[in-house]
Amino acid sequence: MANAVLGASEGSARGVAPGEGGALGKTGFAWAWFEAARNPYYILIVIYVFAPYFARDIVGADILASGKLEGLSPEEAQRAAGAEGQAMVANLSKTAGYIAALTAPFLGAAFDRGLRRKPLLLFCLSLITLVSMSLWWAIPGPEGLSTGAIMALLITAYVCYSYSEVAHNSMLPDAAAPSALPAVSGLGLALGNAAATIMFIGIVFFFALPDAIGWPAKEPFFGIDTTKYEQFRIAGPICAVWMILSMWYFFLHSRDTGIKGTSPVTAITEGAKGVLRTIKRAAHHREAFKFLIARTIYADGMFALLTMGAVYVSLFLGWGLIELTIYAIWASAWAVIGGVFGGWLDQRLGPKNALIVELAAIVLILFLGLSITRESAFFGLLPNVKLNDWPFFSGSSDLIYLAQGALIAVFATANISSSRSMLIHVAPPNMRGEFFGLFAIAGTVTVWLGPMMIEYFTRMSGDQRIGMSAIAVLFFVGLAVLLTVKNEPAAVESSAA
């Protein structure tokens, strides 16, 4: 009954009827399916496949070929080239984050003023599709796109992805009945990771394994030439084709409560003014802003953990491309469970308590991962022993790290789902789009903080594990701020404001 009353009040506050149905209802499933169509781009291109290839084989190779590192030993030159590649990827992420940070909140506020979401989503996804297809021509050396052109393409797609996230998240309250929204949010993350997992399996089965061990075929399928890095470049076209083929269901069945005929210029202008008023009147929306501050801090720790995790495991366990790709499949598969688990935890405990459980679990799992080296696990208590004759993951340390990777995937994905549910709970119902705009950048405006802490503590201590452990501070501080957020419905705050 309380959910029904809250749903009615939310609908009245926003001037539209509340959503209906459950996670498997037509509009609820359509909202969730959007992430199945779009999220593989981020997982394959931004995280696991293309970005490492760009840093290592395009930027790093260019530096080595330029002669700037002459005089260094081969090992020193490789480290310097890798560092430059990582810095370049960080730079493009930072640039795109700045653009999104300065514009996304205004876009979200425009949705609250009647701007329709679907036209913008179609435009953004079309650009992401074009960028994905263009990455096939990201070839090292003069025959491919220049490094600057590739960066411009990736920045464009990153900004469009951020805009699509704001628009899509702002549609969540209308996708289903209020009581079903946590399940809808979790289902979207599960579907997105499931689609990415299927693509990873295809890339490994058809391209990576034949090239590495001659199985299941002696050569990669479909004429892929690994000497030209086509096993990496193909990830872009795969994401593009998938997006084109799968997006129609969302556009056909999702619910867009924007008003036809609303002027984009007027909506965005009024939205910008509204965002500035909202920031000036932060005290009137205290709980929502406290949550955004908490999310900014712990999301920065999450970003550093996920991005530096691959560096850590490659250094301490000596994992190569095949191991990291299989690890990505493994993590994505468990993230599917994390999406469902996050929705279930929200419904059982409420979003705030779910976030507390998830953040505490992530800190414990972080220290489990840091305990693993090539020699031992659990900080020397369990020696690394060879357990099998597999070509990959033959030692106990490898398998323990796989286990902690599964746990990180579950709780990190659940954290994303619970964070979205929490914002719906504390943001004023008639300002959801605006606050989702702020939410979209809450984890990007300080993405430099986690890597900076890792660098400082590593140099100060001379120990990379101590450096990595520094990001636990961000989780603790984020959790401390979260504990001060009053767990009360947004409708109460809205009426008070």
Side-chain angles (χ1 to χ4, degrees), residues 337-389:
I337 298 174
V340 177
F341 175 70
W344 176 83
L345 203 61
D346 289 351
Q347 290 180 316
R348 290 297 298 269
L349 304 180
K352 179 181 176 180
N353 290 332
L355 283 170
I356 292 171
V357 171
E358 291 151 5
L359 290 172
I362 288 169
V363 172
L364 293 175
I365 299 165
L366 164 65
F367 284 102
L368 169 62
L370 294 177
S371 77
I372 303 169
T373 70
R374 298 188 195 189
E375 291 75 33
S376 65
F378 304 114
F379 298 103
L381 295 178
L382 182 66
N384 182 23
V385 296
K386 188 173 182 178
L387 300 176
N388 54 63
D389 294 324

Side-chain angles (χ1 to χ4, degrees), residues 53 135-139 228-237:
Y53 158 68
L135 296 181
W136 175 253
W137 289 276
I139 308 170
K228 297 181 179 179
Y229 305 98
E230 291 180 356
Q231 73 272 35
F232 302 107
R233 293 157 48 201
I234 195 67

Side-chain angles (χ1 to χ4, degrees), residues 291-292 419-427 432 435-436 439:
F291 170 65
L292 287 177
S419 295
R420 292 197 297 212
S421 297
M422 185 67 179
L423 184 62
I424 291 175
H425 197 72
V426 299
R432 290 268 173 74
F435 273 94
F436 266 117
F439 178 86

Side-chain angles (χ1 to χ4, degrees), residues 147-169:
T147 300
I150 298 171
M151 290 187 68
L153 287 170
L154 293 174
I155 289 171
T156 299
Y158 190 110
V159 173
C160 286
Y161 194 94
S162 297
Y163 288 169
S164 70
E165 187 170 13
V166 173
H168 179 240
N169 282 343

Side-chain angles (χ1 to χ4, degrees), residues 168-204:
H168 179 240
N169 282 343
S170 71
M171 296 171 71
L172 177 58
D174 306 308
S179 60
L181 294 182
V184 173
S185 177
L187 178 62
L189 292 168
L191 291 173
N193 282 282
T197 299
I198 293 171
M199 294 180 192
F200 274 128
I201 292 173
I203 290 173
V204 169

